[in-house]
């Protein structure tokens, strides 16, 4: 089945550091990828839609200068949390959409747990 | 995309069928019903989706009512590993711009 790889799976860093998270679709091309954030005991919250070759679309209330998204190829999107602070600590999850080909559903990565000290 | 309503939690005995309901009374004609589940500390896992016909795969069955206002996900023989949060989501598909908006889902606890 379709596989989405997310890296790293866990990161701990000091306040003020910028952290980059990668999301790769391993066996299909994805013109669109999505980034979610999940706090403990809560549901997934969509942060932004990542479009290959164009600017990301951010959901209301998500700071685009804080969460930089780059979708440079059909198999890779990156999320950079700039100048991270403890309140940015969360579980970040990406998904990739195969689009119209074969009526395939979106598939998710296994998430990145970010802890800011 | 239409909103969905699910019970907050359910219990099921191991080996028995787990039937998870979902209401989507405002669903549009071109919207599909998707089911995902999330096991603790992992990303959501796709289970099944359908438009109006009942669907079955190796994981589960999806029963959609004739008026499409509700559906039921059936795990035929639940195991302890099926303990997870199950999300019912409605969206237009296939589409490469269709966002998946997650509600609170149903926490299914499979008990020995």
């Amino acid at each position: 089945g379709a596989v989405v790889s997310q890296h790293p799976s866990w990161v701990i860093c000091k306040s003020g550091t910028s952290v980059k998270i990668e999301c790769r679709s391993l066996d299909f091309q994805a013109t669109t990828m999505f980034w979610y954030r999940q706090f403990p005991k809560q549901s997934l919250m969509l942060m932004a839609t990542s479009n290959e070759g164009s600017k990301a679309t951010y959901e209301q209330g998500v700071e685009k200068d804080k969460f930089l998204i780059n979708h440079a190829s059909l198999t890779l999107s990156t999320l950079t949390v700039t100048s991270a602070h403890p309140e940015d600590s969360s579980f970040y999850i990406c998904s990739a959409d195969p689009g119209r080909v074969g009526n395939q559903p979106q598939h998710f990565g296994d998430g990145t747990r970010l802890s800011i000290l | 995309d239409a909103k969905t309503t699910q019970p907050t939690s359910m219990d099921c005995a191991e080996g028995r069928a787990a039937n998870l309901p979902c209401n989507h009374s405002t669903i549009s004609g071109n919207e599909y019903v998707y089911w995902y589940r999330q096991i603790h500390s992992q990303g959501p896992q796709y289970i099944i989706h359908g438009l109006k016909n009942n669907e079955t795969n190796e994981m589960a069955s999806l029963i959609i009512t004739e008026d499409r206002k509700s559906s039921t996900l059936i795990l035929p023989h639940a195991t302890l590993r099926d303990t997870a949060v199950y999300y019912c989501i409605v969206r237009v598909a296939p589409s490469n711009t269709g966002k998946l908006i997650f509600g609170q889902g149903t926490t299914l606890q499979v008990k020995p």
Side-chain angles (χ1 to χ4, degrees):
Chain A
V3 178
V4 175
S5 173
Q6 199 171 330
H7 178 81
S9 56
W10 192 292
V11 59
I12 302 173
C13 58
K14 294 181 179 179
S15 184
T17 306
S18 292
V19 179
K20 180 184 284 188
I21 303 169
E22 292 187 348
C23 179
R24 294 181 185 272
S25 55
L26 297 186
D27 53 357
F28 64 96
Q29 293 184 332
T31 56
T32 307
M33 293 185 176
F34 301 88
W35 288 96
Y36 296 80
R37 180 167 55 180
Q38 186 176 32
F39 293 107
K41 298 185 186 284
Q42 294 186 21
S43 187
L44 284 76
M45 184 188 76
L46 180 66
M47 298 175 66
T49 302
S50 172
N51 304 297
E52 188 267 337
S54 64
K55 291 183 178 180
T57 304
Y58 291 82
E59 295 298 304
Q60 190 173 9
V62 178
E63 301 174 59
K64 59 183 178 182
D65 295 330
K66 174 77 171 175
F67 301 100
L68 301 179
I69 293 172
N70 183 277
H71 194 152
S73 77
L74 288 172
T75 59
L76 173 64
S77 175
T78 61
L79 168 69
T80 300
V81 183
T82 61
S83 187
H85 292 285
E87 59 266 28
D88 298 321
S89 297
S90 188
F91 191 47
Y92 292 87
I93 308 167
C94 72
S95 71
D97 196 323
R100 297 178 180 273
V101 177
N103 192 18
Q104 294 297 306
Q106 274 184 40
H107 291 276
F108 287 78
D110 273 338
T112 296
R113 192 160 301 282
L114 175 62
S115 296
I116 308 298
L117 304 178
Chain B
D1 295 326
K3 184 179 178 180
T4 63
T5 304
Q6 299 177 253
T8 302
S9 63
M10 293 181 65
D11 289 343
C12 177
E14 188 178 19
R16 306 296 285 267
N19 297 293
L20 291 90
C22 179
N23 285 321
H24 30 80
S25 59
T26 60
I27 193 169
S28 300
N30 62 346
E31 289 182 314
Y32 286 66
V33 180
Y34 284 79
W35 283 85
Y36 284 80
R37 72 180 182 184
Q38 186 178 27
I39 297 170
H40 184 62
S41 296
Q42 296 182 21
Q45 177 190 23
Y46 166 76
I47 302 173
I48 199 167
H49 74 283
L51 181 61
K52 52 184 177 182
N53 297 321
N54 297 337
E55 302 288 344
T56 295
N57 62 20
E58 63 278 5
M59 289 183 68
S61 295
L62 174 60
I63 308 298
I64 303 174
T65 58
E66 193 170 339
D67 63 8
R68 304 211 318 125
K69 292 185 176 182
S70 65
S71 60
T72 301
L73 177 74
I74 301 173
L75 307 179
H77 305 286
T79 70
L80 298 178
R81 287 179 294 181
D82 291 322
T83 293
V85 180
Y86 287 77
Y87 297 99
C88 169
I89 303 168
V90 170
R91 67 152 232 190
V92 175
S95 168
N96 60 3
T97 59
K99 300 183 283 191
L100 289 176
I101 303 300
F102 285 78
Q104 294 306 307
T106 296
T107 299
L108 175 67
Q109 183 74 46
V110 180
K111 299 186 174 181

